[in-house]
Amino acid sequence: MARLGVLVSGNGSNLQALIDASRAGTISGQIAVVISNRKDAFALRRAEQAGIESLCITHGAFSSREEFDAKVVEELRSRDVDWVVFAGFMRLVTPVLLDAYRHRIVNLHPSLLPAFPGVDAAKQALEYGVKLTGCTVHIVTPEMDSGPIIAQAAVPVLDSDDEQTLLERIHAVEHETLVGAVAALCDGRVQVNDATPPARAKVFVRAR
Ligand code: GRF
């Protein structure tokens, strides 16, 4: 069974979706460790309540991003983690982590990438006036919020939306999109082809 390392910074509703899916057998993976870079992250409490090992690695304690990433790699490797999931992990990473887990790190972003990368994706969508937005799960590469796309889901943007209501609608589809993507990873159904840039991910449907 695949071993997952989940990196978080906040509430952890997506972590919760992974915990529930792992328990229900929807994904053939087990969460080996949850790592937060913030000690006040509610996600740490969710891990604790689920009996999953959790660590807080405060980035302020390191003098560079590379040193922080090296510590994260050490903790992931010592638990034989196969796949790393950024589930609301609000931190830029360096080649130290990317090379250690090449094409084995996925991120969840609250827009239909490549539209609206970076922070405040829902606000950006509202300001632009798009009528559809959504969420994306992609393989993490050195450029922020890019990399081969594994799964996406769309939601409408309503005239009455503010950032809060739009984010809630996006959150509602994030959970199942992330679980579907992680299920595919754990089953070995994701293939990344980087022979000719840009790299693309192919996701094979589960055999029935
Ligand atoms: C999600 O909206 C995700 O797209 C973004 O951070 C948020 C995390 O939410 N990267 P939660 O902590 O999983 O509730």
Side-chain angles (χ1 to χ4, degrees):
M1 183 168 304
R3 293 175 64 77
L4 307 172
V6 184
L7 271 59
V8 295
S9 302
N11 174 31
S13 67
N14 286 284
L15 166 67
Q16 190 66 54
L18 292 173
I19 292 171
D20 296 345
S22 175
R23 280 189 177 151
T26 316
I27 57 176
S28 56
Q30 85 182 78
I31 302 174
V33 66
V34 171
I35 299 177
S36 172
N37 64 321
R38 299 179 58 106
K39 62 176 185 302
D40 58 351
F42 186 65
L44 287 170
R45 301 254 300 276
R46 294 181 190 267
E48 196 183 313
Q49 277 163 15
I52 295 168
E53 187 186 8
S54 60
L55 302 173
C56 178
I57 305 179
T58 321
H59 54 260
F62 296 85
S63 57
S64 68
R65 287 187 187 277
E66 285 78 8
E67 274 181 32
F68 171 83
D69 285 0
K71 176 69 176 161
V72 170
V73 169
E74 182 189 318
E75 300 293 353
L76 294 169
R77 282 200 167 139
S78 71
R79 290 166 182 82
D80 291 327
V81 163
D82 303 301
W83 292 100
V84 182
V85 182
F86 289 178
F89 180 58
M90 308 304 280
R91 182 133 183 103
L92 290 175
V93 294
T94 69
V96 172
L97 178 54
L98 294 175
D99 293 347
Y101 280 92
R102 185 163 186 275
H103 290 171
R104 288 189 163 262
I105 306 173
V106 294
N107 180 48
L108 171 67
H109 182 78
S111 77
L112 292 174
L113 291 172
F116 314 129
V119 290
D120 298 334
K123 187 162 169 248
Q124 291 183 57
L126 281 172
E127 282 172 2
Y128 197 96
V130 291
K131 304 304 179 201
L132 279 178
T133 186
C135 68
T136 302
V137 180
H138 64 95
I139 303 269
V140 178
T141 53
E143 305 75 34
M144 185 181 63
D145 296 329
S146 67
I149 291 172
I150 298 173
Q152 293 186 302
V155 298
V157 182
L158 306 181
D159 289 339
S160 55
D161 271 333
D162 56 24
E163 198 182 343
Q164 185 58 28
T165 57
L166 180 54
L167 263 178
E168 277 166 21
R169 197 170 308 114
I170 295 171
H171 262 305
V173 294
E174 279 186 334
H175 301 163
E176 68 189 40
T177 308
L178 181 64
V179 166
V182 171
L185 292 174
C186 292
D187 294 348
R189 289 187 283 114
V190 177
Q191 196 180 76
V192 176
N193 180 352
D194 62 356
T196 39
R200 300 276 165 83
K202 246 191 212 168
V203 181
F204 298 95
V205 177
R206 191 197 303 263
R208 286 173 190 275

